[in-house]
Amino acid sequence: MTTTTPPLHTLAVDIGGSGIKVMVLDEAGNPVTERDRIPTPDPAKPEPMIQGILGLASGKAFDRVSVGFPGVVRNGITETAANLHPDWIGVDLATVLIEKLQAPVRVINDADMQGLGAIAGTGVEMVITLGTGVGSAMFLNGRLVPNLELGHHEFRKGQTYEQQLGRAAFDEGGKKKWNERLEKAIAQWQRVFNYDYLYLGGGNAKEINFTLPPRAKAVPNIAGLLGGIALWRD
């Protein structure tokens, strides 16, 4: 008699400075639920945000959980949280969610998870997420170089990429100035990293209004959730 193993379903969680999104994926990475979203609580402290994740997960069937977090993550512990509350620093988010969701959990930087959902897996690939902050990820032949955090490096006029290209900069300077800065940043990334391909994601990628250079393209923001399935490909 032949028995079949039930398919694994993954709850993908994308934590952002403005919103928390979840979706359940099948083993091939196809969505099996709609994307659900709530605004990120203000202040963005751990407890209300974790309760928000639990609320979004309620009623959904899943076997494991992938979480993208906007900061450095090491062994499931959140080490930085530039666009959230500082109480996040040092939180063992993986263990907390394992206990509360009663399922295996893996936590990774949110740009890293978006990259897993966007890359082709060949050569040097760079991912930049343009949202509340500026996230970054680098891959070599599909293998992740974790926690790049390029957004906090100096860019121009004594300010970081995040200070010049984050959502606050977009709101303050307007779309035209933001696009001019982004075009300069892309030229700099190309010279410094010599990538084979650049992927631009995040909520503000839709605001790009200039022609991207060869070997660069914008990717849907949903890649941040779809990358959740790749996090379990050991």
Side-chain angles (χ1 to χ4, degrees):
M1 181 177 175
T2 302
T3 59
T4 58
T5 304
L8 287 172
H9 283 176
T10 302
L11 178 71
V13 182
D14 184 6
I15 298 173
S18 61
I20 301 171
K21 289 84 69 179
V22 306
M23 176 183 284
V24 178
L25 308 171
D26 67 15
E27 287 182 276
N30 300 309
V32 296
T33 68
E34 297 294 322
R35 187 192 80 150
D36 291 329
R37 180 188 186 278
I38 60 169
T40 299
D42 185 14
K45 291 188 173 185
E47 185 56 32
M49 291 181 67
I50 290 168
Q51 289 304 314
I53 294 170
L54 299 181
L56 289 167
S58 179
K60 293 179 172 63
F62 53 89
D63 304 286
R64 58 194 185 184
V65 184
S66 298
V67 181
F69 180 85
V72 173
V73 179
R74 203 182 313 274
N75 299 320
I77 298 171
T78 56
E79 295 190 353
T80 68
N83 293 300
L84 302 177
H85 195 277
D87 282 1
W88 270 107
I89 297 172
V91 173
D92 190 344
L93 182 56
T95 297
V96 170
L97 291 178
I98 287 169
E99 292 172 352
K100 293 185 178 295
L101 293 173
Q102 294 295 294
V105 176
R106 291 184 179 179
V107 184
I108 193 173
N109 171 267
D110 60 342
D112 292 351
M113 194 157 106
Q114 179 150 126
L116 289 169
I119 62 169
T122 303
V124 177
E125 295 177 284
M126 188 171 184
V127 179
I128 298 292
T129 58
L130 303 163
T132 304
V134 174
S136 56
M138 184 76 75
F139 297 84
L140 177 60
N141 293 326
R143 293 181 64 88
L144 172 67
V145 180
N147 297 319
L148 182 62
E149 290 296 286
L150 180 64
H152 303 298
H153 288 240
E154 187 170 334
F155 172 33
R156 56 194 292 271
K157 297 185 177 180
Q159 291 189 318
T160 65
Y161 289 104
E162 189 157 298
Q163 288 172 316
Q164 292 251 315
L165 293 171
R167 183 159 292 132
F170 182 95
D171 292 341
E172 182 181 343
K175 185 171 181 174
K176 182 175 184 290
K177 183 176 288 187
W178 182 86
N179 273 278
E180 289 170 351
R181 291 172 176 173
L182 179 60
E183 201 162 8
K184 291 174 182 175
I186 290 172
Q188 190 171 94
W189 296 329
Q190 201 164 18
R191 289 193 301 269
V192 172
F193 295 101
N194 295 291
Y195 51 75
D196 293 299
Y197 219 95
L198 172 67
Y199 305 88
L200 299 164
N204 275 354
K206 65 182 183 295
E207 304 292 350
I208 298 171
N209 65 4
F210 59 91
T211 301
L212 292 171
R215 296 180 290 124
K217 70 175 181 179
V219 296
N221 200 26
I222 199 171
L225 290 167
L226 298 182
I229 193 70
L231 192 49
W232 292 91
R233 291 177 188 147
D234 292 320

